[in-house]
Amino acid sequence: QVQLVESGGAEVEPGGSLRLSCVASGGGLSYHNIGWFRQAPGKEREGVACISLPNGGTYYTRSAQGRFSSYFEYNNKGTVYLQMSRLNSDDTGLYYCAVADGLCFQEPLPGNYAHWGRGTQVTVSS
């Protein structure tokens, strides 16, 4: 069974950047749709981006377009990254990665994904 681990979350000032990582154990990421999600306090979990592996096709929600980029590196573990720039307070939340079958071509919906990680906290504050 695939187990995912997110890392890279931190507290940053508005306008800053972060790179989140998603690593899988117990199975490879090479042939999956990896979704990125976030959940702010008191709000529902929402999709941010997804990437199809191995072809690298991506989809970004409106809030992420032009600021976030997801990509995959074929290192020994296979890591999916979410590079985030021009962060603002609305980006604050617990960020998760998860796995789904099929291709990434539309907004990732939490109900369509399985094998969730525990999340990594991103806080944007001055």
Side-chain angles (χ1 to χ4, degrees):
Q1 181 177 351
V2 175
Q3 294 180 324
L4 304 181
V5 178
E6 306 91 341
S7 62
E11 182 170 354
V12 297
E13 294 183 347
S17 299
L18 281 175
R19 188 178 75 166
L20 307 184
S21 301
C22 175
V23 178
S25 62
L29 286 176
S30 299
Y31 296 93
H32 288 292
N33 169 349
I34 310 302
W36 286 99
F37 302 84
R38 66 187 179 192
Q39 188 165 18
K43 294 187 178 181
E44 294 185 353
R45 191 171 300 185
E46 63 175 355
V48 174
C50 60
I51 179 170
S52 296
L53 302 178
N55 65 17
T58 54
Y59 181 94
Y60 302 95
T61 59
R62 183 173 296 182
S63 64
Q65 284 178 2
R67 301 188 302 126
F68 293 5
S69 176
S70 188
Y71 59 97
F72 180 70
E73 285 192 354
Y74 288 92
N75 50 36
N76 60 346
K77 291 185 177 182
T79 304
V80 172
Y81 296 99
L82 183 68
Q83 178 69 50
M84 306 186 296
S85 61
R86 290 184 280 144
L87 290 165
N88 58 62
S89 58
D90 290 337
D91 297 316
T92 293
L94 192 59
Y95 281 69
Y96 302 88
C97 62
V99 175
D101 293 326
L103 297 176
C104 158
F105 62 93
Q106 62 186 0
E107 178 180 349
L109 300 176
N112 294 337
Y113 286 75
H115 307 299
W116 293 81
R118 293 186 176 184
T120 185
Q121 179 66 38
V122 172
T123 302
V124 184
S125 174
S126 56

